[in-house]
Amino acid sequence: VQLQASGGGRVQAGGSLRLACVASGRTFNPLLMAWFRQTPGRERDFVASIAWWTGNIVYDNSVKGRFIISKDNAKNTVSLEMNYLKPEDTAVYYCASRRPGRSAYEIWGQGTQVTVSS
């Protein structure tokens, strides 16, 4: 399975962007799909996750109320709608997949840059 992320770009503070992550390859049956982000010199931080079959959603407090994670099982796609963006949201955003029975996210997309200017 491979994950392909897209949708990053540059936007002014208060604006919106929508990221998408498409899975391809053999049978795709994750337990969880998630978005993480990383800035230079820092580890990847969790942003949001969605359970592939139950739809249960978890957000980091820093994005709660501004970001919306969603999925389309038929298209093997998970999206992240980012609203009211702030300069501190600037980062490379990665989508990730965690398989059933695994304790960590094992499959990662290539990352997409999001830059928010003040």
Side-chain angles (χ1 to χ4, degrees):
V1 175
Q2 292 184 327
L3 302 179
Q4 180 72 37
S6 62
R10 180 181 294 272
V11 65
Q12 288 192 326
S16 298
L17 283 173
R18 185 179 180 91
L19 306 182
C21 177
V22 181
S24 61
R26 63 181 188 270
T27 301
F28 182 64
N29 185 29
L31 176 66
L32 294 169
M33 292 293 296
W35 289 95
F36 289 76
R37 63 188 180 186
Q38 187 174 26
T39 55
R42 292 177 59 97
E43 294 190 0
R44 290 182 188 180
D45 293 324
F46 171 80
V47 175
S49 67
I50 186 165
W52 193 246
W53 295 109
T54 69
N56 187 54
I57 290 173
V58 177
Y59 292 106
D60 182 76
N61 285 337
S62 64
V63 305
K64 200 173 293 184
R66 300 188 298 123
F67 290 12
I68 301 171
I69 189 171
S70 61
K71 62 182 178 67
D72 186 332
N73 292 51
K75 296 181 179 179
N76 285 348
T77 300
V78 62
S79 300
L80 185 69
E81 181 180 337
M82 305 184 293
N83 302 307
Y84 306 107
L85 282 161
K86 305 174 182 180
E88 51 263 44
D89 293 319
T90 296
V92 177
Y93 283 71
Y94 297 89
C95 60
S97 172
R98 179 176 149 187
R99 292 184 290 170
R102 304 287 182 167
S103 60
Y105 289 90
E106 298 175 299
I107 303 173
W108 294 83
Q110 85 284 9
T112 184
Q113 176 72 46
V114 172
T115 302
V116 185
S117 58
S118 58

